[in-house]
């Protein structure tokens, strides 16, 4: 971290000043994606509840941000819940789901063995017979009380099979299956199947055998077992059947029978939430011929629509075309709404407020957004939505009307969007759609702003109080921020535009005095709007005026404008002046030492005191009684300006942020003073200029009678000359080294230069 980065990043910035309900700023976020990576920056206002979605299906279609993840369960959780619910429905409705999940997924074989032992005992309650951790488990008590031996035997067998069917914790490690052991278990499952009376338990033994055959890559065996077991079982509809279908589909696909596998995967995807992800990932069709064969296997138009639903989820899908295919077979298919919202999400990412997005160039460069065909896609989808609405076959016409309006917003057709959203208002009854309509209308209202004044600022500042839904859509402040930034700039209000895009820390690192002055005026405005207050006020009711005056004073001092710098700093309240730094740039050092601490005995000054002292020294030099006295003062002034530059220990008097890497970058790019820096979009200005120091050192040399003063001044002037070469010029000059060598060989200070200055030693060897 650079010399003052910790202080810089800890300083109060406008990010912290503005209320969370109104304004936020774009930040560059560090990422594992590598140096220079900036996350996608955009806006999202679509609520997942508008589709009346199936929470177990929506994750395959929709891409909602973290604030909506609460609506969705993981596939593992869905699988376990569905399994536990089916056990509950078949055996014990009084047992709760948590108890069943514990038995199935956490209890050990030894605990299950204890249940069999408890069944042998006829004394005491079921709880007392069980004992241990399972004594309070409702399903365990039920099985002991009702002597459910077949169920417990099966559960123990399932736990024996499980290690052969579960992926290792290290997903990168190759799975080495024990095929011999798995084959023995397949045979054991068959024996148990024959001894079992319950058709439901038989079905589960069949599943274990088929699963083991699949994972041991005995694909023909899988098909053989499916054909053998299922006709022999009289069972009610069960999720286990879909699990078996999944393994059959996997075997078919491995054997090259992709159309049959694809058809089964499409049925599993629709009917079995717990295996939906597996079916989705396994679905594969390589040729048009295979696709046509899959369609022929379907028994209804709805099944054919399901095949198109799965194909629509591929990365290269032509979504509108796939939606047309689904609509042709089943206009009321529930996936149509999700595919519609999915494309709305992507088009929103592509097009919403693109013209005011401050990171749009980065979005294109690093994320490929907007997609090159997004403009065509939004028109195509608009036309399709209008056509289907006219036909009147859609399941949720109000949703589609609402989508039509938002598509017009995304296309920039604000006039038509307003009319369409009014028509949608007359159709909508669902509360979630009503909220979404209000959200889209507010987005449209913000984007339609063509000027901003006090009235608009007051209105925008009130949105968080006016709309209950506002806080649930965290991109509203971002959208408002970016829209106002553009409007302020168009209206010539650069100060407000600056704060809408950048932080106070950025202003410290690269001061713009015109912006600073305008912000100071805003701080001094008697009747500030609430919006303006949030821009410039601190939590205690004071403003950032003192910070701005400090920025202005430091920059002016670095430019050598002492009187102007003093005037700015004197406007800081007296009690606050010491809080902006204590300095002593008069400490002499033969070698530069930016980070060296000042001795405790040295007197330090705040910036007002320092500038007043320097102005007084200028006067004293002119009124000095002797040439050497005047020269000494000029030397001290030169020392002060040198030490307040990038190269001196008192640099904080003139620059509020310094990076140690800037000197090397300046050497490679001569004349550069503004440098890119992480977290500083406008870069970091460095005060490399030592011209004022050089002027005073040269004045001291020419004024002094003492050759010791002259040579010391010439040496410091040579350092300025060297630094000028490092940061400004391609060719180095040695004017002052030449003067030192020619005129001051007989001085004590010359001997020190010869002894300690390697740069001068190298010069003499030329």
């Amino acid at each position: 971290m650079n010399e003052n980065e910790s202080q810089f990043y800890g300083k109060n910035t406008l990010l912290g000043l503005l209320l969370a309900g109104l304004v936020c700023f774009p930040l560059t976020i560090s990422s594992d994606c590598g140096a220079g990576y900036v996350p996608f920056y955009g806006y999202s206002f679509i609520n997942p509840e508008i589709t009346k979605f199936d929470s177990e299906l929506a994750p395959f279609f929709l891409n909602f941000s973290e604030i909506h993840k609460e609506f969705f369960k993981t596939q593992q959780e869905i699988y376990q819940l569905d399994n536990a619910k089916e056990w509950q429905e078949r055996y014990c409705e009084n047992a709760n789901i948590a108890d069943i999940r514990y038995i199935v997924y956490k209890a050990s074989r030894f605990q299950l063995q204890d249940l069999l032992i408890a069944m042998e005992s006829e004394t005491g309650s079921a709880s007392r017979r069980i004992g241990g951790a399972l004594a309070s488990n409702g399903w365990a008590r039920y099985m002991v009380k009702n002597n459910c031996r077949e169920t417990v035997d099966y559960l123990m067998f399932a736990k024996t099979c499980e290690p052969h069917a579960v992926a290792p914790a290290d997903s990168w490690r190759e799975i080495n299956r024990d095929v011999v052991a798995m084959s023995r278990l397949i045979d054991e499952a068959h024996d148990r199947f024959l001894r079992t009376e319950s058709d439901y338990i038989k079905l589960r033994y069949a599943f274990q055998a088929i699963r083991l055959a699949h994972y041991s890559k005995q694909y023909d065996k899988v098909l053989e077992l499916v054909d053998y077991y299922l006709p022999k079982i009289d069972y009610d509809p069960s999720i286990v059947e879909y699990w078996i279908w999944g393994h059959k589909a996997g075997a078919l696909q491995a054997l090259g029978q992709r159309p049959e596998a694809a058809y089964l995967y499409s049925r599993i995807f629709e009917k079995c939430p717990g295996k939906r992800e597996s079916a989705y990932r396994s679905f594969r069709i390589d040729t048009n011929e295979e696709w046509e064969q899959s369609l022929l296997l379907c028994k209804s138009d709805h099944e054919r629509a399901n095949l198109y639903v799965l194909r629509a989820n591929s990365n290269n899908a032509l979504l509108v075309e796939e939606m047309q295919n689904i609509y042709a077979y089943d206009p009321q298919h529930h996936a149509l709404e999700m595919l519609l919202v999915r494309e709305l999400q992507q088009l929103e990412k592509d097009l919403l407020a693109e013209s005011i997005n401050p990171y749009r160039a980065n979005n294109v460069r690093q994320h490929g957004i907007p997609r090159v065909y997004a403009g065509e896609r939004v028109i195509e989808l608009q036309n399709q939505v209008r056509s289907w609405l006219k036909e009147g076959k859609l399941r949720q016409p109000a949703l589609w009307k609402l989508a039509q309006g938002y598509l017009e917003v995304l296309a920039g057709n604000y006039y038509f969007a307003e009319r369409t959203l009014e028509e949608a208002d007359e159709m909508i009854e669902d509360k979630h759609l009503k909220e979404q309509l209000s959200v889209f209308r507010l987005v449209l209202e913000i984007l339609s702003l063509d000027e901003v004044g006090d009235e608009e600022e007051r209105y925008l500042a009130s949105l968080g109080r006016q709309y209950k839904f506002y806080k649930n859509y965290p991109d509203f402040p971002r959208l408002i921020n970016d829209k106002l930034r553009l409007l302020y700039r168009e209206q010539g209000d650069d100060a407000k535009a600056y704060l809408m895009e950048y932080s106070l820390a950025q202003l410290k690192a690269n001061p713009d005095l015109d912006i600073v002055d305008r912000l100071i005026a805003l701080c001094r405005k008697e009747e500030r709007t609430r919006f303006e207050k949030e821009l410039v006020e601190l939590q205690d009711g004071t403003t950032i005026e003192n910070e701005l005056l400090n920025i202005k004073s430091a920059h002016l001092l670095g430019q050598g404008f002492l009187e102007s710098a003093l005037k700015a700093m004197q406007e800081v309240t007296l009690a606050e002046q010491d809080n902006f730094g204590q300095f002593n740039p008069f400490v002499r050092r033969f070698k530069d030492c930016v980070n060296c601490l000042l001795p405790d005995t040295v007197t330090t000054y705040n910036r007002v005191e320092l500038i007043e002292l320097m102005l007084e020294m200028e006067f004293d030099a002119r009124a000095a009684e002797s040439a050497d006295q005047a020269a000494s003062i000029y030397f001290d002034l030169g020392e002060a300006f040198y030490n307040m530059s990038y190269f001196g220990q008192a640099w904080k008097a003139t620059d509020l942020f310094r990076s140690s890497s800037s000197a090397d970058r300046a050497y490679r790019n001569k004349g550069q003073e503004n440098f890119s820096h992480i977290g500083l979009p406008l870069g970091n200005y460095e005060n490399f200029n030592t011209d004022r120091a050089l002027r005073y050192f040269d004045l001291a040399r020419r004024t002094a009678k003492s050759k010791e003063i002259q040579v010391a001044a010439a040496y410091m002037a040579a350092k300025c000359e060297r630094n000028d070469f490092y940061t400004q010029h391609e060719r180095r000059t040695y004017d002052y080294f030449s003067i030192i060598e020619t005129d001051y060989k007989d001085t004590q200070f010359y001997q020190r230069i010869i002894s300690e200055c390697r740069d001068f030693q190298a010069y003499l060897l030329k």
Side-chain angles (χ1 to χ4, degrees):
M1 187 172 286
N2 298 319
E3 292 91 337
N4 66 327
E5 280 185 344
S6 59
Q7 174 184 336
F8 168 71
Y9 288 112
K11 280 283 188 183
N12 189 15
T13 71
L14 286 174
L15 291 173
L17 303 181
L18 302 178
L19 298 183
L22 181 61
V23 181
C24 62
F25 292 100
L27 293 175
T28 300
I29 302 174
S30 61
S31 168
D32 291 339
C33 296
Y37 175 82
V38 179
F40 172 77
Y41 181 96
Y43 322 89
S44 179
F45 298 99
I46 299 175
N47 186 328
E49 293 189 273
I50 64 173
T51 61
K52 297 180 180 177
F53 66 89
D54 174 353
S55 65
E56 297 170 349
L57 184 63
F60 296 94
F61 296 91
L62 311 181
N63 179 29
F64 291 104
S65 63
E66 289 299 324
I67 63 169
H68 297 306
K69 291 295 172 66
E70 65 195 69
F71 292 108
F72 308 129
K73 302 183 184 74
T74 66
Q75 280 292 283
Q76 182 182 26
E77 184 178 8
I78 294 169
Y79 175 80
Q80 292 186 4
L81 283 173
D82 285 352
N83 191 20
K85 287 176 182 176
E86 186 159 296
W87 279 112
Q88 183 188 53
E89 292 167 0
R90 298 300 172 95
Y91 281 89
C92 182
E93 293 185 355
N94 292 327
N96 63 51
I97 295 297
D99 285 347
I100 296 173
R101 288 182 72 175
Y102 182 86
I103 294 289
V104 174
Y105 296 107
K106 293 185 177 181
S108 68
R109 292 184 74 253
F110 300 106
Q111 287 177 297
L112 295 176
Q113 183 69 45
D114 289 342
L115 295 183
L116 292 177
I117 295 172
M119 291 178 193
E120 299 291 339
S121 174
E122 297 180 358
T123 60
S125 65
S127 297
R128 296 188 67 178
R129 279 186 279 161
I130 297 170
L134 295 184
S136 60
N137 187 289
W139 197 34
R141 293 198 305 270
Y142 173 87
M143 288 191 289
V144 170
K145 184 177 179 180
N146 293 278
N147 202 32
C148 300
R149 287 181 174 276
E150 284 191 344
T151 303
V152 177
D153 281 337
Y154 166 75
L155 291 171
M156 292 176 63
F157 179 74
K159 289 185 182 294
T160 303
C161 297
E162 201 67 16
H164 299 284
V166 176
D170 180 4
S171 59
W172 294 103
R173 179 165 56 85
E174 184 178 355
I175 303 174
N176 294 316
R177 307 283 190 187
D178 187 343
V179 177
V180 174
M182 295 170 78
S183 295
R184 283 200 299 265
L185 288 170
I186 292 171
D187 293 340
E188 184 179 346
H190 179 257
D191 293 340
R192 288 172 175 267
F193 178 90
L194 295 177
R195 297 197 306 265
T196 300
E197 294 184 8
S198 166
D199 281 295
Y200 185 66
I201 300 299
K202 282 185 174 184
L203 180 65
R204 285 186 173 265
Y205 276 123
F207 162 69
Q208 294 293 346
I210 292 165
R211 179 168 70 158
L212 288 166
H214 183 202
Y215 288 151
S216 61
K217 298 184 179 180
Q218 301 179 62
Y219 302 124
D220 288 319
K221 182 77 169 178
V222 171
L223 303 182
E224 177 187 328
L225 292 175
V226 171
D227 291 341
Y228 172 80
Y229 281 122
L230 293 190
K232 294 178 172 60
I233 307 170
D234 182 15
Y235 58 90
D236 294 328
S238 167
I239 57 172
V240 180
E241 182 180 7
Y242 294 110
W243 299 351
I244 291 173
W245 284 10
H247 292 293
K248 179 180 179 180
L252 287 168
Q253 187 159 279
L255 293 170
Q257 300 179 46
R258 281 189 289 271
E260 294 86 348
Y263 170 70
L264 285 177
Y265 283 135
S266 71
R267 303 298 298 130
I268 296 165
F269 183 83
E270 182 187 21
K271 298 293 187 180
C272 185
K275 289 297 181 181
R276 188 164 279 149
E277 181 174 357
S278 175
Y280 170 74
R281 295 186 182 280
S282 301
F283 182 85
R284 177 184 171 185
I285 288 290
D286 288 347
T287 66
N288 288 333
E289 182 182 359
E290 289 178 349
W291 178 254
E292 294 299 328
Q293 291 175 15
S294 296
L295 288 173
L296 291 174
L297 294 171
C298 296
K299 299 176 178 60
S300 66
D301 282 347
H302 182 75
E303 288 189 358
R304 280 181 274 277
N306 283 333
L307 273 175
Y308 281 106
V309 168
L310 267 175
R311 196 171 75 168
N313 277 282
S314 65
N315 292 330
N316 58 349
L318 300 174
L319 193 60
V320 175
E321 181 180 327
E322 299 295 14
M323 290 173 68
Q324 290 169 343
N325 291 325
I326 296 167
Y327 181 87
Y329 286 116
D330 188 352
Q332 297 205 347
H333 199 293
H334 62 296
L336 277 173
E337 284 107 20
M338 294 192 194
L339 290 170
L340 169 68
V341 175
R342 170 184 161 187
E343 187 61 11
L344 273 181
Q345 286 180 308
Q346 188 58 57
L347 289 170
E348 180 183 56
K349 204 171 183 180
D350 285 321
L351 302 174
L352 182 61
E354 183 198 3
S355 63
I356 65 173
N357 189 321
Y359 282 74
R360 58 185 178 273
N362 182 77
N363 287 344
V364 172
R365 183 173 59 255
Q366 294 194 1
H367 305 282
I369 297 173
R371 298 168 296 177
V372 293
Y373 51 82
E376 297 176 2
R377 180 69 66 84
V378 73
I379 294 173
E380 183 183 11
L381 189 55
Q382 282 184 81
N383 292 335
Q384 189 62 75
V385 171
R386 291 193 193 102
S387 173
W388 286 345
L389 280 168
K390 287 180 181 178
E391 292 179 17
K393 298 178 182 178
L394 295 164
R395 192 170 72 106
Q396 291 192 74
L399 169 64
W400 291 82
K401 193 67 176 180
L402 183 62
Q404 179 188 340
Y406 198 46
L407 286 168
E408 289 165 345
V409 171
L410 298 178
N413 301 322
Y414 297 158
Y415 172 77
F416 293 105
E418 185 176 1
R419 289 177 52 186
T420 301
L421 293 177
E422 286 178 1
E423 294 171 5
D425 194 5
E426 298 176 0
M427 301 170 62
I428 292 173
E429 296 180 358
D430 178 79
K431 67 175 183 178
H432 299 303
L433 287 181
K434 284 184 177 295
E435 177 181 303
Q436 188 69 87
L437 172 63
S438 298
V439 170
F440 287 167
R441 278 178 157 172
L442 184 55
V443 170
L444 175 60
E445 187 176 358
I446 293 167
L447 293 176
S448 299
L449 284 173
D450 54 13
E451 63 179 5
V452 58
D454 290 353
E455 182 178 347
E456 287 78 15
E457 288 179 354
R458 280 191 290 270
Y459 170 68
L460 293 173
S462 71
L463 293 179
R465 301 188 305 274
Q466 186 173 344
Y467 295 106
K468 292 181 179 179
F469 61 74
Y470 186 87
K471 66 180 184 299
N472 296 325
Y473 297 84
D475 285 346
F476 267 124
R478 175 183 288 188
L479 182 68
I480 293 170
N481 180 64
D482 294 336
K483 180 64 177 181
L484 292 187
R485 172 183 51 82
L486 183 66
L487 290 177
Y488 284 137
R489 187 164 290 143
E490 290 175 350
Q491 294 173 193
D493 199 339
D494 293 336
K496 288 183 180 178
Y498 187 99
L499 288 190
M500 299 307 297
E501 188 165 3
Y502 308 115
S503 67
L504 192 61
Q506 173 65 85
L507 195 58
K508 290 179 179 180
N510 190 1
D512 182 328
L513 293 191
D514 181 58
I515 296 294
V516 170
D517 285 336
R518 293 189 185 202
L519 291 175
I520 291 172
L522 183 57
C523 290
R524 294 173 178 175
K525 184 178 177 182
E526 292 185 5
E527 296 290 335
R528 287 190 294 272
T529 66
R530 181 173 179 268
F531 187 83
E532 291 171 336
K533 290 178 181 179
E534 289 168 345
L535 283 176
V536 299
E537 285 189 7
L538 303 172
Q539 292 181 351
D540 62 3
T542 61
T543 69
I544 59 172
E545 181 178 352
N546 284 344
E547 288 279 0
L548 295 167
L549 291 168
N550 178 55
I551 294 171
K552 181 177 181 179
S553 175
H555 190 67
L556 288 170
L557 178 58
Q559 302 300 308
F561 302 119
L562 273 64
E563 290 86 356
S564 299
L566 177 62
K567 181 180 178 182
M569 203 64 199
Q570 284 175 331
E571 294 180 33
V572 174
T573 54
L574 192 62
E576 293 288 325
Q577 289 177 5
D578 285 349
N579 295 336
F580 293 102
Q582 295 285 313
F583 321 100
N584 187 322
F586 304 108
V587 175
R588 297 185 182 182
R589 288 191 171 91
F590 187 81
K591 296 180 180 179
D592 293 346
C593 186
V594 172
N595 297 315
C596 290
L597 299 176
L598 294 176
D600 293 338
T601 56
V602 169
T603 302
T604 57
Y605 313 91
N606 64 36
R607 196 177 290 107
V608 170
E609 295 167 341
L610 174 60
I611 298 173
E612 288 177 340
L613 177 59
M614 292 176 70
L615 290 172
E616 184 179 339
M617 290 169 65
E618 182 82 40
F619 177 81
D620 289 345
R622 293 178 184 145
E625 296 180 357
S626 69
D628 284 348
Q629 184 182 12
S632 294
I633 296 173
Y634 287 137
F635 187 95
D636 286 343
L637 286 168
E639 191 86 55
F641 276 110
Y642 186 89
N643 284 331
M644 291 189 297
S645 75
Y646 178 89
F647 308 98
Q649 51 81 19
W651 62 268
K652 292 180 183 179
T654 62
D655 193 357
L656 302 184
F657 180 71
R658 178 187 188 276
S659 172
S660 58
S661 67
S662 297
D664 181 62
R665 296 168 72 185
Y667 183 76
R668 289 182 275 111
N669 298 277
K670 298 298 179 69
Q672 184 177 352
E673 292 181 328
N674 188 30
F675 301 89
S676 61
H677 197 282
I678 294 174
L680 300 174
L682 298 182
N684 170 38
Y685 170 82
E686 299 287 15
N687 180 25
F688 290 133
N689 194 317
T690 57
D691 288 350
R692 285 163 293 281
L694 176 61
R695 182 170 69 86
Y696 278 109
F697 287 134
D698 195 60
L699 185 58
R701 183 182 67 84
R702 289 186 285 103
T703 301
K705 298 297 184 182
S706 167
K707 295 191 73 174
E708 294 295 338
I709 296 177
Q710 291 175 12
V711 68
Y715 172 72
M716 291 302 298
K719 289 171 67 173
C720 295
E721 188 178 28
R722 175 204 63 194
N723 293 340
D724 194 47
F725 161 69
Y726 285 161
T727 61
Q728 301 294 324
H729 301 302
E730 296 293 338
R731 178 177 174 274
R732 181 170 180 180
T733 58
Y734 296 91
D735 294 345
Y736 287 97
F737 273 179
S738 177
I739 291 171
I740 291 170
E741 181 188 14
T742 303
D743 298 339
Y744 302 115
K745 289 182 179 179
D746 57 343
T747 63
Q748 292 182 1
F749 197 81
Y750 180 86
Q751 298 306 315
R752 185 178 182 187
I753 297 173
I754 285 287
S755 174
E756 299 182 30
C757 181
R758 293 183 181 179
D759 197 23
F760 188 68
Q761 294 167 5
Y763 165 76
L764 293 178
L765 293 174
K766 289 182 178 295

